[in-house]
Amino acid sequence: MGKIYRVLAIWFTNLECPRTFTEYENSFTFKMFLFQFVNYYSSLVYVAFFKGRFYGYPAEMKYNIFNYRLEQCDPAGCMMELVIQLAIIMVGKQVLNNFMEIALPALKNCLARKFKRGDKENCELARWEQDYLLQPNPLLGFFNEYLEMVIQYGFVTLFVAAFPLAPLFALINNVMEIRIDAYKYTVAYRRPFHARAQDIGTWLPILRGVSILAVIFNALVIAYTSDFVQRLVHVYGYSENHSLDGYINNSLSVFATKDFPPDVAPDYNTITVNTELNATEFCRYRGYRYPAGDPNQYNVTLQHWHVLAAQLAFVVIFEHVVFFIAWLIAIIIPDVPRKVHEQMVREKKLAKEVLYTAELKERKQERSNSETQSEIKSF
C-alpha cells in the first residue's frame, strides 16, 4: 500500500503544479503523511472510539445492518483490545522496517555486483567501482526517515494512555535505528550529496498537529474507552461507602430473554453445550438501563446521563489543563537560549560594523580619488 500511496501523492502534487521544489516537497510530504496516518491509525481509532458505541440493548434492532448486529467489544470493554492491537501494529512495524532497511539494500547490492560486473568477473573491482554499484540515494533524501519517525511519534503520543510501554519500545527501536541507519548510509548506499536546509519543512507543523491530536485522543481514551470516569461516578455518586463495592453489578443492566425477537432468539433445541443455561430467564449486558418489568424498561437511567456529563467534563478539563501547562512551559523556556540569542545579536552587530567600515573606507577612497583628479586638472 505504501507504493500506491506514493503514486497517488505524486499524482495529486503534480496536479497542483508547485512553483518551487520546496513547495513540491512540502505538498508531497503532507499528502503522504495523511495517507499513512489513515493507514496506520484508522483501525486504532475505530477500536477506541467507534467499536461497540452504536449499541442499545440485546433486543434492539435499529443498529443492525442487513440484519447483522454491529461488532461489539469484549465484555470487559475495548481497552484491552486497543492495547493488544496497538502493541502488535507498533512493534511489528518497527521490526519489519528495521529488517527491510538492512535486508533490501543488501540484496539489491548483491544483485548489482552479480549482474553488472560484465567482463570483470574474475577481477577485483576498484573502490570507486564498488561504490558506484551501491544503491543510489532517494530523490527526496531523508523523507522516509522523517516519515518513519513521525509515524512512531504518533504511536507514542496518540494512545499512550492505553499503552504506556509505547515510549519504551520507541526508545529501544531508536537505539537500534541509529546503528541501522549508520550501516545503511556508510555501507549500503552511495555517499549522499550535501544540501542546505532552513528547517525541517512541513514536518514541524505536522508534529504540532499530532501533538494537539494526542491531547484530544488521550482525553477521549481515558473518558470513553476506559472505565475510569464510570468508576469515579460510582464511587462518589452511587456507592454508600465511597468505594468500588458493587461497581460491576451497578454497571450491568438486566434483560429478559423472553423479549428477544423471534428471528434472533436463541434456539435451545440446537444447544448441546452448557444445556443447564437453556432455562435462563435473564441475562446481563453493559449499560445503564431500567431492568425488565420496570415501567421504563430498557430506557436509559439517570446514571447514564450522569456518566455522560462526567465524561464530557473530564475531556474539557483535561484538554484545558494540558494546553495551559504546554503554554506555560513555552513561555518559561524560550525557543532560543539566552546565550545563543546574545551571540546572534553580537554577530549581527559585528556584521553591521564590518559593512559600515567597508562602506566608509570605500567612500573615503572615492573622495580621495576625486580630489586627486581635481588637483591634476587644476595643474
Side-chain angles (χ1 to χ4, degrees):
M1 290 300 294
K3 293 182 179 179
I4 298 177
Y5 292 149
R6 183 180 292 270
V7 172
L8 289 176
I10 292 175
W11 182 62
F12 285 128
T13 307
N14 290 336
L15 291 178
E16 297 178 1
C17 297
R19 189 169 54 89
T20 62
F21 180 77
T22 301
E23 293 180 358
Y24 183 93
E25 187 176 13
N26 291 340
S27 178
F28 172 78
T29 299
F30 184 71
K31 292 177 177 59
M32 275 297 296
F33 172 75
L34 286 182
F35 285 135
Q36 295 294 344
F37 185 92
V38 174
N39 186 37
Y40 284 109
Y41 302 135
S42 58
S43 61
L44 300 175
V45 171
Y46 167 72
V47 172
F49 307 131
F50 295 98
K51 185 177 180 180
R53 304 298 173 189
F54 305 99
Y55 175 75
Y57 57 93
E60 194 171 18
M61 303 295 293
K62 67 178 181 179
Y63 295 110
N64 291 7
I65 298 179
F66 301 113
N67 292 327
Y68 289 98
R69 185 177 295 276
L70 296 178
E71 188 179 14
Q72 303 299 317
C73 294
D74 185 82
C78 291
M79 195 68 171
M80 184 55 63
E81 184 177 351
L82 176 63
V83 172
I84 295 174
Q85 189 162 0
L86 179 60
I88 293 175
I89 294 177
M90 179 180 176
V91 179
K93 172 183 176 297
Q94 292 175 351
V95 173
L96 179 61
N97 284 351
N98 291 338
F99 175 77
M100 294 300 294
E101 287 186 8
I102 296 178
L104 193 59
L107 178 61
K108 290 183 178 179
N109 291 333
C110 181
L111 295 176
R113 287 192 298 268
K114 181 176 180 180
F115 293 105
K116 293 185 179 180
R117 280 189 174 185
D119 298 333
K120 297 184 178 182
E121 184 66 32
N122 299 324
C123 300
E124 185 68 24
L125 294 177
R127 179 74 262 177
W128 67 269
E129 292 178 307
Q130 297 177 19
D131 293 341
Y132 178 75
L133 293 178
L134 297 177
Q135 292 301 305
N137 285 279
L139 178 63
L140 294 177
F142 296 101
F143 170 80
N144 292 328
E145 305 297 332
Y146 276 112
L147 181 61
E148 181 181 357
M149 290 295 102
V150 172
I151 294 296
Q152 183 193 84
Y153 178 74
F155 280 120
V156 170
T157 57
L158 290 177
F159 300 97
V160 68
F163 189 47
L165 288 178
L168 176 61
F169 285 108
L171 175 62
I172 297 173
N173 174 76
N174 290 342
V175 172
M176 298 175 59
E177 187 78 17
I178 292 174
R179 307 313 307 166
I180 292 174
D181 288 344
Y183 167 82
K184 184 171 63 175
Y185 286 106
T186 57
V187 177
Y189 280 89
R190 299 174 188 171
R191 180 182 298 176
F193 292 101
H194 64 278
R196 297 183 61 184
Q198 183 180 2
D199 49 31
I200 62 175
T202 192
W203 291 113
L204 183 58
I206 287 176
L207 289 172
R208 289 175 178 170
V210 172
S211 301
I212 295 174
L213 281 179
V215 177
I216 300 174
F217 276 27
N218 282 287
L220 294 175
V221 166
I222 297 174
Y224 291 95
T225 309
S226 71
D227 58 351
F228 175 75
V229 176
Q230 291 93 317
R231 290 171 180 265
L232 290 180
V233 172
H234 174 78
V235 169
Y236 294 104
Y238 293 88
S239 176
E240 296 180 357
N241 56 358
H242 298 291
S243 66
L244 289 175
D245 295 341
Y247 167 72
I248 298 298
N249 186 62
N250 177 258
S251 63
L252 297 177
S253 300
V254 179
F255 176 77
T257 56
K258 63 180 179 61
D259 293 332
F260 272 120
D263 53 340
V264 297
D267 187 1
Y268 296 112
N269 297 324
T270 60
I271 297 178
T272 58
V273 181
N274 296 331
T275 55
E276 65 274 8
L277 299 178
N278 290 352
T280 301
E281 297 181 358
F282 299 97
C283 63
R284 308 297 295 271
Y285 62 97
R286 290 175 62 90
Y288 300 98
R289 293 176 178 270
Y290 290 103
D294 191 273
N296 297 318
Q297 65 174 5
Y298 307 140
N299 292 329
V300 294
T301 63
L302 185 61
Q303 187 175 356
H304 169 83
W305 301 110
H306 288 168
V307 170
L308 181 61
Q311 289 172 333
L312 293 176
F314 176 84
V315 171
V316 174
I317 294 174
F318 182 88
E319 290 178 358
H320 281 70
V321 170
V322 173
F323 286 140
F324 173 76
I325 294 175
W327 171 79
L328 187 62
I329 293 176
I331 292 179
I332 296 175
I333 302 176
D335 295 336
V336 181
R338 180 178 300 177
K339 291 184 178 180
V340 177
H341 179 71
E342 292 176 353
Q343 187 67 22
M344 293 172 61
V345 173
R346 181 174 178 274
E347 290 179 357
K348 290 181 180 180
K349 182 179 179 181
L350 292 177
K352 289 181 180 180
E353 290 179 354
V354 170
L355 291 175
Y356 176 76
T357 304
E359 186 176 357
L360 183 61
K361 185 178 180 180
E362 183 179 357
R363 293 290 179 86
K364 288 182 178 180
Q365 186 67 29
E366 291 177 356
R367 183 180 301 175
S368 176
N369 292 338
S370 61
E371 291 177 356
T372 304
Q373 291 179 359
S374 61
E375 289 178 359
I376 293 176
K377 291 180 179 180
S378 61
F379 181 74

